[in-house]
Amino acid sequence: MKGSRCLHQLKSLRLLSHAGRRLPAAAGDSGALFRLHSSSLLGGSQCPQREVLRHFHSSPACTKSQPARFVQEEDKTRDKSLVAHDDLFEQVAKETKTKATFNKVIDVYTKRDIRRRGHVEFIYAALKKMPEFGVEKDLTVYNKLLDVFPKEVFVPQNFIQRMFNHYPRQQECGVQLLEQMESYGIMPNIETKVLLVQIFGEKTHPMRKYQRIMYWFPRFMHANPFPIPKQLPEDPVDLARFSLTRMANDWDAKVTVYQLPCTDITDSGAEVTLPHIVGIQSPSQMEALAKHNPCRPVFVEGPFPLWMRKTCVYYYVLRADPAPPEEKIEEPYDPERCLMYPLQLDLDLDRDLGDDESFDVEDLDEGPVFAMCMTSQGDQATLNQWISGLQQSNPILGQIPTLFRLGAGPRELQGVGDTDSTSGTWFPSHAHKEEADPGEDAEAVVEEEPRRSQGVKQ
Amino acid sequence: MSLPRITHLPSGRLLSTILHHQLLLPSIIPLTVPKRAVIQGEYRRPGQPKKTKFAWQKINFNFSKGLEAIKKHFTLLKKEFTDRWVGPEGKPIVEHMLEQNRVVWEFRGPESLREWTVSSDREIGGHSEAYLKLGRNNNTCFLYGTLSSTPPRDGETRYSGYCTMRSKQPLASFDRKKHHDWSSFNTLQLRVRGDGRPWMINVSAETYFSHQKDDIYCYFLYTRGGPYWQDVKIPFSKFFLTHRGRVQDDQHPVWLDKVNTIGFTLGDKADGPFQLEIDFIGVCKDYAHTEEFAYEAYKRNPEV
């Protein structure tokens, strides 16, 4: 691994340099070792009132005499072999991977070596391991990781250093840390800014990256007109309720839970899992369904995907084909529906081309949608239950033939066309009453809505 | 901001600098960055050989194709000449001056799909798929596929998982570039039906310098999902400038007089199937929208 190779190089060169080689202080060099040498020459000329923090800038001769402090590691041995920084994480990986263990690894690293040798590689390894520990969306962990950088060492002191990309590897590492924060959508806070100023100084690449994040994130944070909460409900029924109200786009739409998920053990001992069935319908849809011509069938189509951040749920739709033009009845507006303003104006005004605000596109009429539902198991029996539940409030469903056009399942959809129905079956609705399985709704579960499916058997 | 596309990490050259230091060079040695040329041709996947074809080898000397091409180009040329008698851009001048809405793309038949190019990260070795077909009743276009964000194993790509649909550059007779002139409009309007995924609309305008070739103006298209159509209206003042997927520091509004292509791209790091149905794409003039540009151009060297 590159990290181990670099570390090996550093260790070997440290042995070489301890033989008495002194390198000139060159700005813009990289690597923990040479920074130490260069700053040791600068350290002598520093003002005496610097804080204790800078004591590691003293010359290597002094530090050699100090005993190295080693924090108790998990294996309690002084590791002299080639160690990639991933190994620290792998040692911890044997236990549970949580935020606490991640923080512990960082603490072990920071306390192990006052000079923080190989901190760049350590930070890269930590960034890669974050998703495994589940802390990739945690700002405090990023701040703690940023804290691993030694402070005030990489701050450019004069204009030449500012011009020439001072400590480019560390700056690139800082930028990558911020970029990972950005890609997970985490907004940095004032602590990040203070840390960046202490570590890299102002007018450096990580600081510029931070400024860009702080410029663009607030602008796009609320750009979504259909916002999704960061924490979606875990319960499938709640999730179904939330997503159905989101899709329905109607405040008057009512969500009905036809069946709660439960596991049932039948007489033969086999476990039967009953899926949840949650449906939604609005009063205007009920009206439209009531006016539907019983000669023409309605279709149950699905499953269609709905994505909310990273979760995908599937929904089914009860719809009908658009009525042919001869059957369309233009109902006059009821003037008492709205007393504020007239809904229909019979004025003989012409609109000029400059005032025409409508697009010259024919309106797509795909037919009305009567209801939607969500269920975890999309087979015909479950959807039958939904239809029978719908029949409680829409008795006309008893006379309308229902066609099932179910897709291939929760996979890449082929787009259900008019002519090809993958598993279209003719299922007349009057057979619903016989088909409804009495064993499925024998649970005594208290719900807020009355159990629709129980009333089917008449 | 980095859209989840390819980012090329400059590989660390720590070893070379260590070796340099051993030579006791007093001058400052900047870190060598791999040559990332600003002007690049087609993307060449790492590992693939460089195909150097000479210019004359690219010409296709097929007789029937040549005849078809002649017919097509001369028809277009004739149309160009006769259109001038009708009015600018083939429309009567009254319409050209006063029109408030223009439907630019309407998916009403299979030939409308030929104006669009669909691509995904399969070109760089990823595993996403994207397909385009006509939707139900041949009235809409249906873009669907699967996203997969496993990056290709070529050693330099870190993020992956995107797909895009881009309109082809409009061409006049003899393959000359033609541009969309939307200078009298200020809003993009489209009717879509998505599945809840956030898409991004990319408008690419004609540029002068070759460095600006990958300049794209972007904005988000948030779909609600569900069986209902969604009317989306995005003013052109909201589009921000990006170059190769990175949002730029100095922003300016998109110049609408020479728009080349429009595209839709999806890269929301959620693996799985996706679909997007588009009914039409049009531009309109919204008199109520007086904003010129939504983002301030800030200073080049701002204070912290």
Side-chain angles (χ1 to χ4, degrees):
Chain A
M1 226 196 82
K2 202 169 68 161
S4 58
R5 239 182 322 147
C6 294
L7 213 51
H8 182 55
Q9 287 272 352
L10 286 172
K11 285 190 187 208
S12 61
L13 285 163
R14 177 177 34 175
L15 296 168
L16 275 176
S17 62
H18 280 179
R21 258 170 112 190
R22 278 292 210 206
L23 295 170
D29 49 5
S30 55
L33 176 63
F34 304 102
R35 182 189 68 243
L36 178 66
H37 280 287
S38 62
S39 49
S40 70
L41 296 172
L42 289 171
S45 55
Q46 296 288 351
C47 330
Q49 56 258 40
R50 289 283 184 185
E51 310 91 56
V52 185
L53 183 63
R54 298 189 72 98
H55 76 269
F56 68 88
H57 284 188
S58 49
S59 72
C62 309
T63 47
K64 252 203 301 192
S65 56
Q66 281 174 20
R69 295 187 308 275
F70 281 93
V71 181
Q72 292 281 17
E73 292 184 20
E74 273 81 9
D75 49 0
K76 292 187 175 119
T77 55
R78 204 181 139 179
D79 229 334
K80 283 196 180 176
S81 59
L82 286 181
V83 166
H85 287 284
D86 272 359
D87 285 2
L88 262 181
F89 289 98
E90 259 142 54
Q91 285 163 14
V92 180
K94 293 180 194 104
E95 322 164 9
T96 49
K97 293 184 179 177
T98 56
K99 180 174 161 179
T101 44
F102 194 85
N103 285 341
K104 197 162 77 153
V105 173
I106 301 181
D107 288 332
V108 162
Y109 175 78
T110 48
K111 294 192 180 71
R112 178 164 65 174
D113 187 2
I114 192 71
R115 295 181 194 86
R116 312 266 169 99
R117 290 224 164 83
H119 58 274
V120 169
E121 285 86 13
F122 175 77
I123 292 179
Y124 277 128
L127 285 176
K128 219 163 45 157
K129 293 281 182 186
M130 266 189 180
E132 290 174 22
F133 284 73
V135 292
E136 72 270 11
K137 302 222 172 144
D138 200 338
L139 180 59
T140 42
V141 174
Y142 282 106
N143 284 339
K144 196 173 164 75
L145 198 57
L146 202 51
D147 211 8
V148 169
F149 279 112
K151 312 287 176 300
E152 295 180 28
V153 189
F154 310 132
V155 178
Q157 308 285 340
N158 53 41
F159 71 101
I160 306 173
Q161 293 178 353
R162 266 194 293 274
M163 258 199 313
F164 279 97
N165 202 14
H166 203 47
Y167 286 106
R169 279 205 87 202
Q170 279 77 5
Q171 287 207 21
E172 175 75 30
C173 184
V175 165
Q176 288 306 316
L177 197 151
L178 285 168
E179 187 164 310
Q180 181 157 334
M181 268 170 74
E182 175 204 340
S183 92
Y184 283 112
I186 303 155
M187 182 98 141
N189 64 359
I190 189 74
E191 198 188 324
T192 324
K193 181 175 179 179
V194 165
L195 277 167
L196 285 174
V197 170
Q198 281 181 336
I199 299 166
F200 296 107
E202 304 164 2
K203 318 265 170 104
T204 48
H205 291 294
M207 199 60 217
R208 286 283 181 242
K209 174 95 187 163
Y210 168 83
Q211 282 178 305
R212 282 180 195 122
I213 295 179
M214 295 309 286
Y215 181 80
W216 291 107
F217 267 32
R219 275 170 170 73
F220 299 143
M221 189 109 73
H222 305 289
N224 194 346
F226 316 109
I228 308 169
K230 276 215 167 77
Q231 274 289 80
L232 283 171
E234 302 281 341
D235 182 29
V237 177
D238 287 334
L239 183 64
R241 195 189 287 265
F242 170 73
S243 31
L244 283 174
T245 38
R246 182 188 166 77
M247 285 194 292
N249 199 26
D250 197 346
W251 285 111
D252 301 325
K254 219 161 55 118
V255 175
T256 344
V257 182
Y258 295 108
Q259 188 177 273
L260 284 177
C262 53
T263 342
D264 206 18
I265 303 181
T266 55
D267 303 327
S268 52
E271 235 183 47
V272 168
T273 332
L274 295 175
H276 63 277
I277 309 175
V278 186
I280 192 171
Q281 197 181 32
S282 69
S284 50
Q285 285 174 328
M286 281 204 260
E287 280 172 23
L289 186 53
K291 279 188 277 195
H292 186 77
N293 187 352
C295 311
R296 309 183 58 255
V298 289
F299 306 101
V300 174
E301 286 177 7
F304 300 117
L306 173 74
W307 282 90
M308 284 174 293
R309 282 180 207 270
K310 303 267 168 87
T311 18
C312 183
V313 291
Y314 293 91
Y315 65 94
Y316 301 84
V317 161
L318 178 74
R319 59 170 282 275
D321 274 339
E326 52 271 9
E327 279 186 33
K328 280 205 178 101
I329 329 158
E330 279 286 330
E331 276 186 16
Y333 284 108
D334 182 18
E336 287 186 22
R337 211 175 87 192
C338 177
L339 297 167
M340 296 286 154
Y341 50 85
L343 290 168
Q344 211 170 15
L345 274 180
D346 284 325
L347 298 173
D348 199 10
L349 293 173
D350 256 340
R351 281 202 131 177
D352 192 17
L353 196 65
D355 291 328
D356 189 13
E357 278 168 21
S358 60
F359 278 92
D360 189 18
V361 176
E362 69 214 36
D363 226 2
L364 273 188
D365 188 14
E366 288 196 340
V369 170
F370 294 128
M372 291 191 280
C373 98
M374 269 199 190
T375 164
S376 52
Q377 212 174 302
D379 56 341
Q380 210 155 310
T382 334
L383 291 173
N384 259 335
Q385 245 185 307
W386 170 49
I387 299 290
S388 5
L390 262 185
Q391 217 170 312
Q392 303 289 310
S393 43
N394 305 284
I396 197 169
L397 268 180
Q399 292 126 39
I400 306 179
T402 320
L403 208 72
F404 281 78
R405 274 195 192 153
L406 299 177
R411 271 202 330 263
E412 183 183 321
L413 282 197
Q414 310 301 319
V416 183
D418 252 346
T419 46
D420 54 301
S421 52
T422 45
S423 62
T425 40
W426 178 259
F427 200 94
S429 63
H430 54 262
H432 279 175
K433 297 179 188 168
E434 293 97 307
E435 294 286 314
D437 200 353
E440 283 180 353
D441 32 61
E443 299 81 29
V445 178
V446 177
E447 299 175 32
E448 64 236 71
E449 314 275 336
R451 289 296 302 273
R452 305 297 175 124
S453 41
Q454 271 173 352
V456 170
K457 294 163 291 303
Q458 284 155 10
Chain B
M1 299 285 105
S2 65
L3 306 170
R5 290 225 186 146
I6 339 161
T7 31
H8 295 263
L9 239 194
S11 50
R13 299 296 171 105
L14 181 64
L15 302 178
S16 57
T17 48
I18 292 174
L19 291 169
H20 277 157
H21 273 291
Q22 286 184 333
L23 299 172
L24 292 175
L25 290 167
S27 59
I28 300 157
I29 298 154
L31 210 61
T32 51
V33 184
K35 286 220 171 60
R36 191 187 351 184
V38 180
I39 308 163
Q40 269 187 358
E42 291 279 318
Y43 176 72
R44 184 177 64 87
R45 272 193 63 196
Q48 275 184 349
K50 273 192 204 174
K51 291 182 272 215
T52 40
K53 258 182 148 181
F54 295 109
W56 62 84
Q57 290 174 332
K58 290 187 195 154
I59 308 175
N60 181 12
F61 288 107
N62 190 352
F63 189 65
S64 59
K65 267 200 181 158
L67 272 183
E68 275 175 33
I70 288 175
K71 219 166 38 169
K72 180 177 99 171
H73 289 310
F74 277 102
T75 328
L76 280 172
L77 190 65
K78 190 178 90 142
K79 190 161 163 298
E80 266 169 50
F81 277 114
T82 50
D83 274 347
R84 302 204 93 164
W85 295 104
V86 177
E89 288 174 33
K91 290 183 296 209
I93 191 161
V94 172
E95 211 183 291
H96 179 77
M97 276 170 50
L98 292 180
E99 63 175 345
Q100 300 264 82
N101 313 280
R102 190 196 292 182
V103 178
V104 192
W105 285 281
E106 208 183 14
F107 299 94
R108 297 287 182 258
E111 61 278 351
S112 58
L113 292 186
R114 264 182 255 136
E115 294 169 31
W116 294 84
T117 319
V118 172
S119 70
S120 65
D121 73 347
R122 192 163 275 248
E123 290 162 10
I124 55 166
H127 308 286
S128 317
E129 300 162 351
Y131 308 102
L132 184 66
K133 67 172 197 193
L134 279 177
R136 188 194 286 235
N137 299 332
N138 282 2
N139 254 344
T140 56
C141 91
F142 192 74
L143 174 68
Y144 66 101
T146 325
L147 274 193
S148 149
S149 57
T150 29
R153 297 172 60 126
D154 53 7
E156 55 175 3
T157 315
R158 285 193 303 151
Y159 309 117
S160 183
Y162 67 89
C163 79
T164 153
M165 172 168 118
R166 199 175 183 186
S167 76
K168 291 195 178 132
Q169 165 102 42
L171 295 172
S173 59
F174 300 104
D175 288 338
R176 287 173 298 142
K177 278 207 284 195
K178 211 165 54 162
H179 312 286
H180 295 286
D181 182 9
W182 294 341
S183 41
S184 47
F185 306 102
N186 66 358
T187 316
L188 182 73
Q189 179 150 357
L190 38 146
R191 188 178 291 163
V192 293
R193 185 161 63 182
D195 53 352
R197 286 210 195 222
W199 289 74
M200 190 153 232
I201 305 184
N202 308 329
V203 169
S204 159
E206 177 68 16
T207 52
Y208 186 73
F209 297 106
S210 52
H211 297 167
Q212 297 171 307
K213 190 170 60 127
D214 299 316
D215 273 0
I216 288 177
Y217 299 86
C218 308
Y219 197 68
F220 309 100
L221 171 66
Y222 290 105
T223 50
R224 188 174 57 215
Y228 302 116
W229 285 97
Q230 186 186 346
D231 277 303
V232 178
K233 254 180 135 164
I234 304 174
F236 283 114
S237 60
K238 297 273 188 212
F239 281 78
F240 53 90
L241 173 66
T242 63
H243 178 83
R244 286 198 189 158
R246 296 274 175 184
V247 182
Q248 296 304 299
D249 283 345
D250 57 345
Q251 293 283 335
H252 57 266
V254 51
W255 284 7
L256 292 164
D257 55 344
K258 284 202 170 73
V259 172
N260 281 352
T261 63
I262 196 172
F264 299 92
T265 166
L266 176 69
D268 65 342
K269 299 181 248 201
D271 295 349
F274 66 87
Q275 60 180 64
L276 180 74
E277 251 182 284
I278 309 177
D279 179 16
F280 74 90
I281 301 169
V283 284
C284 71
K285 180 150 51 174
D286 189 3
Y287 283 110
H289 185 79
T290 48
E291 189 187 45
E292 284 178 15
F293 192 48
Y295 314 104
E296 310 89 63
Y298 53 89
K299 296 191 243 185
R300 281 200 54 108
N301 198 6
E303 310 86 33
V304 172

